[in-house]
Amino acid sequence: MTAKTIGLIGAGHIGSQLARLAVRHGYDVVVSNSRGPETLKELVSELGPRARASTAREAAEAGDLVVVTIPLKNIGDLPPAPLAGKIVIDTNNYYPQRDGQIAELDEERTTTSELLQRHLPKSKVVKAFNHIYAAELTTHGQPAGTPNRRALAIAGNDAEAKGVVTQLIDQFGFDVVDIGPLSDSWRIQRDTPGYGPRRTAEELRRDVAAAQRPARA
Ligand SMILES: NC(=O)c1ccc[n+]([C@@H]2O[C@H](COP(=O)([O-])OP(=O)(O)OC[C@H]3O[C@@H](n4cnc5c(N)ncnc54)[C@H](OP(=O)(O)O)[C@@H]3O)[C@@H](O)[C@H]2O)c1
């Protein structure tokens, strides 16, 4: 499957940056937030003719592929029906000071991406872009084959969906390290070695292998 239109639910630090990368690489984008399309005029005008703003539901409907990039506490607001059957990229992280305490995560019984997958049972959730600072998305990318190119991790339960997201990330300028199913996505969550720093694929694989879950220790 080749995506032509990318829907973005969330147009903050990460959503706006992914929208910039998407239009730069020839995709149409539909951006949305919680306050409504009229609040996204400035971003749409910066992005140019490939971009429009809509409600979150319309972005979910319009996207061949949809990015969810909102505070984790709000994933319950997402509409499952228009996202059914679609690849949903999940950039989200858990910050209790923002999201409130979520016992299943505190006790390490699940992962942020599995929570999203549970809410969107018919979607193909792929974790991506959660461990890179927003500003670096548009400044750290390099063409494929560049020595010491930065790598980004993905996790997901659907091999075909991971293939599509791998191609997208490669186009956006990064190598990709597949770290396994959504249940392993904790290996790149906050407070793990790979969360934040610039890493090549080899370095990222090493960091992911070294990650630990303190509550399970
Ligand atoms: N910032 C980073 O460098 C970074 C890096 C990697 C991952 N992340 C993670 O990625 C996610 C997004 O982070 P961010 O920094 O981009 O956040 P942000 O700048 O606060 O932006 C959040 C966006 O989500 C929208 N939103 C909130 N609730 C919504 C809802 N119910 N429906 C539709 N849109 C909604 C907000 O819209 P309104 O403004 O209209 O409310 C805003 O556009 C978070 O989980 C974060 O932890 C962030």
Side-chain angles (χ1 to χ4, degrees):
M1 170 257 184
T2 312
K4 290 195 176 66
T5 301
I6 298 183
L8 291 123
I9 302 182
H13 293 95
I14 291 283
S16 64
Q17 283 288 76
L18 290 176
R20 288 181 185 102
L21 283 176
V23 297
R24 194 185 282 178
H25 292 279
Y27 295 92
D28 293 330
V29 299
V30 181
V31 290
S32 68
N33 63 8
S34 76
R35 285 165 295 149
E38 63 287 353
T39 64
L40 291 166
K41 279 187 185 145
E42 206 175 312
L43 177 62
V44 168
S45 113
E46 179 205 321
L47 292 170
R50 288 194 179 280
R52 66 184 170 91
S54 73
T55 64
R57 174 172 287 276
E58 285 161 352
E61 284 164 356
D64 305 310
L65 179 154
V66 178
V67 181
V68 168
T69 183
I70 66 176
L72 181 68
K73 65 175 177 186
N74 292 349
I75 61 171
D77 298 342
L78 298 167
L83 294 169
K86 294 189 181 179
I87 298 171
V88 173
I89 293 182
D90 165 31
T91 79
N92 303 322
N93 291 306
Y94 173 42
Y95 282 90
Q97 60 272 40
R98 177 193 66 194
D99 299 317
Q101 297 299 144
I102 301 173
E104 280 176 284
L105 294 175
D106 293 339
E107 293 159 16
E108 296 178 350
R109 287 187 274 119
T110 190
T111 58
T112 55
S113 295
E114 287 173 298
L115 292 179
L116 183 62
Q117 182 69 79
R118 192 200 295 169
H119 181 66
L120 306 173
K122 295 186 174 160
S123 303
K124 299 164 199 166
V125 172
V126 179
K127 186 94 198 173
F129 303 114
N130 76 299
H131 64 100
I132 176 171
Y133 293 109
E136 294 170 357
L137 281 167
T138 50
T139 55
H140 279 202
Q142 293 173 305
T146 305
N148 297 316
R149 193 187 196 206
R150 185 167 182 175
L152 299 180
I154 61 164
N157 300 340
D158 185 293
E160 196 186 337
K162 284 202 280 195
V164 171
V165 176
T166 296
Q167 276 185 1
L168 184 74
I169 296 174
D170 182 54
Q171 262 188 321
F172 283 2
F174 302 91
D175 284 347
V176 176
V177 173
D178 180 352
I179 69 168
L182 295 179
S183 57
D184 280 344
S185 60
W186 64 268
R187 289 185 172 276
I188 198 64
Q189 72 189 11
R190 59 179 286 218
D191 300 330
T192 60
Y195 186 81
R198 185 193 190 287
R199 293 285 189 248
T200 63
E202 191 186 333
E203 292 165 343
L204 187 54
R205 280 191 203 99
R206 184 197 62 206
D207 283 352
V208 164
Q212 293 189 350
R213 276 182 136 173
R216 286 198 176 179

